[in-house]
Amino acid sequence: MSTYLICSTPAHGHVVPLLGVARHLVGQGHRVRFLTSERYGDRVRASGSEFLPLPPGADVNLDDATGQFPARADLRGPAALRFDILNLFLRPAREQYEALRGAMEEVAVDAVLTEQLFIGAALLRERSRAERPPIVVLGIFPLGVRSRDAAPFGLGITPMSGALGRIRNTVLSFVADRLIFGSVHAQARAMSRQVVGSPLARDIFDWASGAEAIVQFTVAGFEYPRSDLPANVHFVGPLPPAASDAPVPEWWADIDGTRPVVHVTQGTVANDDFGQLIEPAISGLAASETLVVVSTGGRPLSDLSGPIPANVRVSEYLPYDRLLPLVDVVVTNGGYGGVQQALGHGVPLVVAGQTEDKVEVSARVGWAGVGVNLRTNHPSATHVARAVGSVLTDSSFRHRARAIAAEISSAPGLAGLDAVLAHVASKVPAAGDQR
């Protein structure tokens, strides 16, 4: 059996999917060491992995980023993106890299498995291949590799075909690289020179394309086509959802098939303000002929403002494995895993997310034809109601969602990860291979 080192930035949306990978590898008999924040130590140990704590300088609390960096609250648009990349991801990279080196000196590993925003792994990739193990990037967010056929990642801009589209993408890339993220790239290159003696061979957003493999946890049908897709990208399908132990609520029998069911959620992380999506959805759908099923993601039901309409049912948690087969539309803020979980059941969506990776997830929902992208974080009740009505009445959305579901059902899943790991382990770096 092999030994793997998994590393993750300390955020719920990063750590939890990688814990699923860890549990799978441990179940296959491999030794797994997991580098992340002490806050997740118990969950790492529960997966059967060996927990390795990040040093204090790298242990940024991404679950409360604004609390740790109050200046972040007043930033919007490109300024907010630059601030986050510099402070949440780039500045911890030096100590992440040192922690990686220390872990590998302590125990030799067959591969390092990382998510893309653990920039310490990008620095490690700059070492000669003879000096480091293979690096496998786990694609738990939409694929961000550069392409002449796609706009720069993070803008939420969908593809445009033909020569005009490629010209547009070139212009957008120039603007992003020089004007929006020029200072980010400069600081990343400077840090790499200081830490490993050379600048990053690829920019900070595209470093994964130089890894030994990218295992993207989706299917090709939910990703933009790229004629120049790197050979190291492997689509294996979404990560399987963790088994749900949430009990069914007392009103469960109301889901009886007599009327369309609309599920509304803001997930379990970005749910501190129900006024963003849940409350507008409840208000907009209150007079509809649908049954509206709401999950608060663990928050008390009393945090919802106003009376609950007669057609709305609310619970803190719901068993998604039992709920989604009964749902006609999912209304969500666009978390990558949740969206694909819905698509795995052939359920079309209404999405309202324009922050972090959600802007790219939402863009793909609209582009793939599996739902409506509201292009905002704060939709009005009217906009939600109209979008849900459109998805319910236009059969093309469900048709496309079912096509993606069929593709997901035939994907290899974690067995695809196993195959990639076996392949990279079998490749011996050529003499003189520097990167």
Side-chain angles (χ1 to χ4, degrees):
M1 292 292 104
S2 300
T3 299
Y4 297 114
L5 174 58
I6 297 178
C7 45
S8 175
T9 48
H12 182 275
H14 300 229
V15 175
V16 170
L18 299 195
L19 285 173
V21 172
R23 284 190 293 269
H24 168 75
L25 293 174
V26 169
Q28 298 289 101
H30 300 296
R31 181 181 182 182
V32 177
R33 313 187 82 214
F34 200 120
L35 176 64
T36 192
S37 169
E38 183 69 58
R39 295 190 304 279
Y40 292 97
D42 289 343
R43 298 182 72 168
V44 169
R45 296 182 190 98
S47 74
S49 306
E50 301 169 30
F51 171 65
L52 304 176
L54 282 168
D59 194 358
V60 178
N61 187 359
L62 284 130
D63 295 319
D64 184 24
T66 301
Q68 189 162 358
F69 298 99
R72 182 175 181 265
D74 297 324
L75 300 175
R76 297 292 183 274
L81 282 171
R82 284 193 299 269
F83 184 92
D84 282 356
I85 294 164
L86 288 171
N87 292 282
L88 305 184
F89 303 112
L90 181 58
R91 287 183 180 161
R94 181 193 298 267
E95 291 198 46
Q96 290 175 350
Y97 171 76
E98 295 299 337
L100 273 173
R101 289 190 61 189
M104 291 186 298
E105 288 172 359
E106 182 181 41
V107 175
V109 300
D110 294 281
V112 170
L113 281 60
T114 182
E115 42 91 6
Q116 187 169 351
L117 289 174
F118 193 94
I119 306 302
L123 297 174
L124 179 65
R125 200 213 69 86
E126 296 303 313
R127 307 299 305 184
S128 163
R129 179 63 184 82
E131 298 178 291
R132 62 168 177 81
I135 297 174
V136 177
V137 176
L138 305 177
I140 57 174
F141 308 114
L143 186 64
V145 298
R146 281 184 177 269
S147 171
R148 58 176 173 259
D149 300 319
F153 188 85
L155 302 182
I157 297 175
T158 55
M160 177 187 294
S161 61
L164 184 59
R166 290 185 175 181
I167 293 171
R168 181 206 67 173
N169 297 336
T170 300
V171 172
L172 288 173
S173 295
F174 177 86
V175 171
D177 290 345
R178 300 295 180 88
L179 302 181
I180 299 177
F181 299 118
S183 60
V184 173
H185 295 319
Q187 291 193 46
R189 289 192 296 268
M191 174 179 285
S192 184
R193 287 192 191 95
Q194 294 169 3
V195 176
V196 299
S198 63
L200 293 175
R202 293 170 172 81
D203 71 54
I204 192 172
F205 302 116
D206 192 44
W207 76 266
S209 64
E212 278 61 52
I214 300 173
V215 176
Q216 191 65 30
F217 289 113
T218 190
V219 291
F222 193 61
E223 190 49 70
Y224 300 148
R226 296 167 171 86
S227 60
D228 51 357
L229 184 71
N232 67 339
V233 177
H234 307 268
F235 294 104
V236 300
L239 283 165
S244 174
D245 57 1
V248 297
E250 59 182 12
W251 47 257
W252 188 259
D254 295 343
I255 310 176
D256 58 7
T258 60
R259 50 183 166 168
V261 177
V262 179
H263 174 51
V264 182
T265 176
Q266 287 182 211
T268 57
V269 179
N271 63 358
D272 58 328
D273 178 8
F274 288 150
Q276 287 187 342
L277 180 59
I278 287 180
E279 289 172 355
I282 290 174
S283 176
L285 298 170
S288 72
E289 297 299 319
T290 65
L291 179 68
V292 181
V293 176
V294 177
S295 169
T296 64
R299 285 186 57 191
L301 307 189
S302 58
D303 287 355
L304 287 167
S305 63
I308 302 299
N311 70 326
V312 176
R313 306 291 183 271
V314 185
S315 182
E316 290 186 8
Y317 292 106
L318 290 165
Y320 277 85
D321 52 344
R322 298 181 62 180
L323 175 66
L324 287 174
L326 308 174
V327 169
D328 295 279
V329 183
V330 169
V331 179
T332 173
N333 55 356
Y336 196 51
V339 163
Q340 293 191 91
Q341 194 173 350
L343 292 176
H345 288 274
V347 181
L349 303 114
V350 172
V351 287
Q354 296 292 290
T355 56
E356 297 96 25
D357 65 306
K358 293 180 177 66
V359 64
E360 291 291 345
V361 178
S362 298
R364 282 159 174 76
V365 167
W367 167 83
V370 298
V372 173
N373 177 12
L374 294 176
R375 302 175 185 273
T376 179
N377 289 320
H378 297 85
S380 69
T382 299
H383 286 154
V384 174
R386 286 176 179 170
V388 169
S390 177
V391 172
L392 286 173
T393 57
D394 186 344
S395 62
S396 68
F397 293 109
R398 181 163 291 275
H399 175 76
R400 283 297 305 143
R402 287 176 174 170
I404 296 294
E407 194 176 352
I408 288 173
S409 68
S410 62
L414 287 168
L417 170 64
D418 295 337
V420 170
L421 292 175
H423 176 70
V424 299
S426 69
K427 294 183 68 176
V428 178
D433 183 3
Q434 295 300 307
R435 293 182 182 177

